[in-house]
Every structure is written in structure tokens, then in C-alpha cells.
Amino acid sequence: MSRRVTDKAVGDRPARHVETIIIGSGFAGLGLAIRLSQQGRNDYLVLERGSDVGGTWRDNTYPGAACDVPSQLYSYSFALNPNWSRSFSKQGEIQQYIQGVAKRCNVLDKHLFNCDVTHARWHNATNLWQIESSQGSFTANTLVSAVGGLCEPALPDIKGINGFEGELFHSARWNHDADLTGKRVAIIGTGASSIQIVPSIAPKVAHLDVYQRTAPWLLPRMDRPYTLPERLAFRHIPGFQRLSRAAIYAARETQVVGLAKVPALMEIFELMAKVKLRRQIRDPELREKVTPDFRIGCKRMLISNDYYPALSRPNVDVVTDGIAEVRKNSIVTKDGTEREIDALIVATGFHVTDSPAYDTIAGKDGRTLSEVFDEIGQQGYKGSAIANFPNMFFLVGPNVGLGHTSMVYMIESQINYIADALATVDRLGLRTVEVKRDVQDSYNKEIQGKLVKSVWNTGGCASWYLDKHGNNTTLWPDFTFEFRRLTKSFDVSAYDTTTVDTSRDELKVVAAQ
């Protein structure tokens, strides 16, 4: 923003003022920080509750953690990584890449780590965001939420689970001090994390019970180490890595036709998954248990080569009866069967459409994001702005998620949009920008219209893609290059704006001190 103000007080606490505050430093928040620095916008601060950059890839350190997007797509376009060791990277390698980019781009000094934002409120009188955190108070002209959708673990509401006396932890908060060797272990959930954890721990535990509510569709994981010639080509042949990246991107985009436009085409992928299932699971009873009853793509498509073989091990059982309660050292299912366990792993996903972070951000009428979303659903404009929240932008906001390719592409599209928004504000001398409610409503009507015939709405499943209103507020229902086109530049005409009145702003700042 072009307006400059001095530090002032929020209540009785001294507040530090910066032009822009970014909450979160995963791929999204870090990417925006780098872009701001590249533009010469150095008056910004990243508030990160963790002790390092990385977000999801810092937090999810469970055994077998790896990406299900090809390595060549899973990097910033401005910082390609010629050193990927394999076609699908593991958690540690991705985290190392993110840390390296942050260091090379010299943005770590713009971070406050171990800084948990407890409240952010728009102040109408001063046209500033007031932020309270575990490391003090701040004010900012612009607030950017980059907390992401996969940051708040969702714990199951099961009777007695808090009274369990063995090891108990969520997959995203893995307890590396817990030795599972020779133990009786249970894992609740069969999503993306679980299918990586199960094969990793099954060989060393005495027994493993996999509690499955819904069987997932699995496709082959085309993972392999890169050969030495490939690695040398990525490093030394100009354009080779970008060409490889473009080819993989184009191939992945073809899935959009089946996912979002003609769901019948997903039968091709379903046939591949059925062949894989039949080849890897010979036991008819087990095969029936793990055969999904919905169209592939309706839920997140998973990739694994070792999950089905792990389920076929003699020390692994798939339990499909619902859980009635958890006792001190056991789980009881609804059919009355009690299974004793020493450790319980909860792999039940995240708060995506109902993130606790939404409770901490209040707009111009005092309502929080949670309250607004409770009324109208998780809606936004281009996944980047929400009516009632002036001078606030979102990275990975509503309907930006993907089910087929890299989120980094969508994140960079939004970074382009936000960066141009800040430049537009400066160029036009604007004080506030807030997306018009009718524009937002029209945009969301179009989005939901595109989703009507998609596999996510017609595939016969219930998923975390849907909010409590039954709307898919998570996924982008079109080609990603179409989203890139929509976010190429900031469309200021879609926003209500006010202009800077220097004399009045100075009076407001003086009065607030």
C-alpha cells in the first residue's frame, strides 16, 4: 500500500506496523514473501506458528511420507530443482528444497517463527488490520492468509478416545519417540496418509488393524529413481528440465476432462484401478472389503504400489465395522468385537472447510470468517478475496484445490494476482479494496454450475471436498491454465475501493496513538 503510518497502540499494548503481514510460510506464504522482496516491497512480515518454513512438509513426518504429484511439477517455476532424486519426492527432500529456496532468496529475516496468530481484526476507524499473536501486537495495511487447508488435524469424535492409555497421535503430529516395533497397533483412516503409513510400519509391528470407513481407489505409483544421465541433463542441458515439466503438466491436465467435464471418461482410470486391485489382492474376501462403491475421482485418487500387498500380510487386518468406543487398551466395534492394542494412530485428515483459523479473523462488521462461512458456505472470489474483509487476500482460498496436479501452479497464479493488486493500489492511490458481494456471488454461482456435472458431485461419495451446505467449496472445476488466465492481473473494477486522504489518515493515526 502507498500509505505509510507509524507504530501505534492496540489497547494498552504497543503494536508494530508493517505494510503487509502474511500468516503462514508453507509453499504459499513463502512464495508470496519472495515475490514481495523481488518487487522491492520490503515492509512485510511473515508470522509462522512453526519453527521453520515448509508448512505441510515440515509437519507431516510420518513413516513413508511422500508427494503424490511428480517432482518436476512440485517446485516454484522460478526455482526449479535439478537435484530431485526420483520422479515422486519424499517428504524430507521436499522440505529440504523449501528450506533451500527460502535461504537463497534471503527472506528468512522477514519471518517470525513460533508466532501463533490468535486474533486478526479489521479496524474501520483506521482502515488497518490489527493482529494479536504469541509474539506481540501488529497492525498492517494488508493481511494475507496463507494458512492452507491441510494444517489443522481433524480428530475423530469417538467415545472414550481421550481415555486411551497407550500411544495416541495424529499422523500429522507423528510421535517419533514411540517405538511401534512388536506392538499391537491400530490406525483409523484409509486416506492419503494412511496408505503410506501402513506399508511402512506393517513389517515391524506385531499386529496392525486398519479401520476403514470408505475404501479408496488406488492407481499405480509411477515412481522411480532418476538415472544419472537424467540428473546430468536436468543440471546441464538448457531447457531440458522445463520441457520435461511442461510435458508432465500437459499430461496431467488431460485428467480434467474426466474429473470436471465428462465423468464417464473416468471409467478408464477405474478399469486401471480394478486391474491393480485384482492383481495385488488374491483373497476374495479382502478384495471385496477394499473395493470402493463410488466412481473413481469422487474422492481423492490415491497412488501406491505397496498398500494392497501390506493389507495382505498375515499380521494385518482390515476392519470395516464402525468403531463403537475406544477403551483403555482396546477398540470395540459396533458388532461387539474388542481388539486389544498398544498404540493408536489417527489418520483422519484435516479441518479443510471448517478450519479453526477461521475463528481468529474478523472482518469489517465484526463477524469472523467462521461466522460468514457458516451462513453462506466457504465462498470467495478467485480464491483470493472475500466480501466483508477489506485489504485481505487469501492463498489457497475457496475452490482453489486440485485433485490431479500440483498446487504450486495454483499458488503462483494467486501470487501473481495479489502482487498485481498491491501494485494497483499504489498506482491508483487506493486506501481500501474489498471485493463486491454481487461479484463474489456471481463468481460462485458460476463455479458451482461447473461442478454440477463433475465427478465430485455425481460420483456417489461423500468427501472432505464438501462443506456443511453440501457444496464443493474446495476444488477448482476447470483447467488450471484457465485459473492462471483469470488471475493474470488484478481486476480492480470487481472491488469497492476508497482512495487515500492523506490529511485524514494522519489525523486517524495521531488519534489512535
Side-chain angles (χ1 to χ4, degrees):
M1 297 281 179
S2 58
R3 177 167 54 91
R4 301 285 302 188
V5 298
T6 57
D7 288 2
K8 67 185 194 64
V10 179
D12 295 327
R13 301 178 63 186
R16 174 183 173 184
H17 180 80
V18 291
E19 291 283 340
T20 304
I21 280 185
I22 303 167
I23 304 175
S25 190
F27 259 109
L30 175 61
L32 180 60
I34 293 170
R35 176 65 64 84
L36 294 182
S37 289
Q38 290 173 340
Q39 291 184 326
R41 296 180 178 277
N42 295 312
D43 191 10
Y44 72 87
L45 194 62
V46 183
L47 307 184
E48 168 55 55
R49 71 179 182 180
S51 59
D52 199 353
V53 297
T56 295
W57 297 105
R58 177 198 62 227
D59 295 340
N60 285 266
T61 60
Y62 58 80
C67 192
D68 56 7
V69 173
S71 300
Q72 297 304 329
L73 294 183
Y74 215 71
S75 62
Y76 297 114
S77 63
F78 58 84
L80 299 190
N81 182 16
N83 300 313
W84 292 126
S85 65
R86 54 192 316 111
S87 55
F88 286 82
S89 302
K90 296 183 178 181
Q91 176 268 332
E93 195 169 7
I94 297 172
Q95 176 63 2
Q96 186 178 34
Y97 163 77
I98 297 171
Q99 291 171 321
V101 172
K103 185 176 181 180
R104 289 195 302 274
C105 293
N106 296 314
V107 295
L108 291 175
D109 62 339
K110 294 292 187 179
H111 284 66
L112 266 185
F113 292 111
N114 301 307
C115 182
D116 189 16
V117 174
T118 56
H119 190 72
R121 179 174 67 91
W122 174 256
H123 194 259
N124 291 308
T126 58
N127 291 311
L128 294 174
W129 280 97
Q130 299 179 345
I131 299 100
E132 296 292 332
S133 79
S134 60
Q135 293 202 36
S137 304
F138 304 87
T139 61
N141 297 353
T142 305
L143 181 68
V144 180
S145 171
V147 297
L150 305 180
C151 66
E152 294 289 348
L155 300 175
D157 184 15
I158 299 174
K159 177 183 177 183
I161 193 168
N162 293 327
F164 181 68
E165 294 183 350
E167 296 286 354
L168 169 63
F169 48 88
H170 191 280
S171 58
R173 301 292 184 268
W174 193 270
N175 181 4
H176 291 278
D177 292 328
D179 185 3
L180 302 180
T181 305
K183 301 291 181 63
R184 298 166 300 179
V185 181
I187 183 167
I188 301 175
T190 52
S193 299
S194 182
I195 68 160
Q196 296 180 342
I197 294 170
V198 168
S200 299
I201 67 173
K204 68 178 182 179
V205 303
H207 188 83
L208 177 62
D209 292 320
V210 180
Y211 285 84
Q212 171 189 283
R213 183 173 62 178
T214 306
W217 282 111
L218 262 64
L219 292 169
R221 184 178 181 87
M222 305 298 187
D223 187 23
R224 63 176 179 81
Y226 282 128
T227 64
L228 178 59
E230 285 175 311
R231 296 198 302 271
L232 291 174
F234 290 145
R235 293 190 187 104
H236 302 297
I237 299 179
F240 180 78
Q241 187 171 24
R242 289 199 179 275
L243 181 61
S244 175
R245 177 182 171 104
I248 296 171
Y249 169 79
R252 287 267 165 164
E253 283 299 283
T254 62
Q255 295 183 26
V256 175
V257 180
L259 290 169
K261 301 179 182 298
V262 188
L265 295 177
M266 295 305 295
E267 291 180 7
I268 300 171
F269 292 96
E270 199 164 305
L271 178 61
M272 293 171 55
K274 286 179 177 178
V275 170
K276 174 184 175 64
L277 176 59
R278 179 165 290 275
R279 285 179 175 174
Q280 291 193 312
I281 295 186
R282 298 295 184 180
D283 179 11
E285 183 179 350
L286 176 58
R287 188 189 305 147
E288 182 179 0
K289 278 186 177 182
V290 298
T291 298
D293 59 0
F294 55 89
R295 173 157 287 174
I296 193 170
C298 184
K299 285 178 177 287
R300 182 176 175 182
M301 292 185 292
L302 306 180
I303 57 173
S304 176
N305 296 331
D306 50 11
Y307 179 66
Y308 286 150
L311 297 185
S312 300
R313 292 177 60 92
N315 68 327
V316 177
D317 286 327
V318 177
V319 183
T320 57
D321 296 309
I323 298 175
E325 67 173 314
V326 176
R327 294 178 180 171
K328 290 190 300 182
N329 300 108
S330 64
I331 292 179
V332 181
T333 50
K334 292 180 180 178
D335 66 350
T337 303
E338 182 175 6
R339 297 174 175 84
E340 293 188 354
I341 56 173
D342 304 304
L344 175 56
I345 301 166
V346 179
T348 48
F350 301 85
H351 290 281
V352 177
T353 60
D354 59 344
S355 173
Y358 298 158
D359 294 330
T360 66
I361 302 175
K364 68 179 185 181
D365 64 1
R367 290 185 301 160
T368 64
L369 277 170
S370 292
E371 291 170 322
V372 171
F373 289 159
D374 187 62
E375 177 186 338
I376 65 172
Q378 191 175 336
Q379 299 180 14
Y381 180 62
K382 300 184 178 181
S384 305
I386 296 175
N388 188 57
F389 294 83
N391 290 14
M392 181 173 182
F393 296 100
F394 292 80
L395 288 165
V396 194
N399 288 109
V400 174
L402 300 174
H404 69 288
T405 192
S406 174
M407 274 302 302
V408 182
Y409 184 91
M410 300 293 275
I411 287 169
E412 288 200 49
S413 299
Q414 289 191 283
I415 289 173
N416 293 339
Y417 187 75
I418 295 171
D420 194 52
L422 296 177
T424 301
V425 164
D426 283 352
R427 186 176 68 253
L428 300 181
L430 302 179
R431 178 171 55 189
T432 63
V433 292
E434 177 191 353
V435 66
K436 298 174 181 176
R437 178 60 186 270
D438 62 327
V439 171
Q440 177 177 298
D441 289 344
S442 177
Y443 176 83
N444 280 277
K445 184 178 180 180
E446 181 180 355
I447 290 290
Q448 294 304 317
K450 288 183 177 182
L451 283 162
V452 167
K453 295 183 179 181
S454 73
V455 70
W456 307 302
N457 282 35
T458 63
C461 73
S463 73
W464 55 266
Y465 297 150
L466 309 180
D467 67 9
K468 74 171 194 175
H469 300 276
N471 295 319
N472 186 333
T473 59
T474 306
L475 297 178
W476 171 247
D478 211 329
F479 296 105
T480 59
F481 55 76
E482 176 63 14
F483 186 77
R484 177 65 60 92
R485 183 189 67 81
L486 288 176
T487 53
K488 183 177 181 180
S489 59
F490 182 66
D491 46 347
V492 68
S493 61
Y495 291 74
D496 287 323
T497 64
T498 61
T499 56
V500 172
D501 181 336
T502 305
S503 61
R504 290 184 62 188
D505 278 347
E506 288 176 349
L507 287 173
K508 287 177 181 177
V509 173
V510 171
Q513 293 189 60

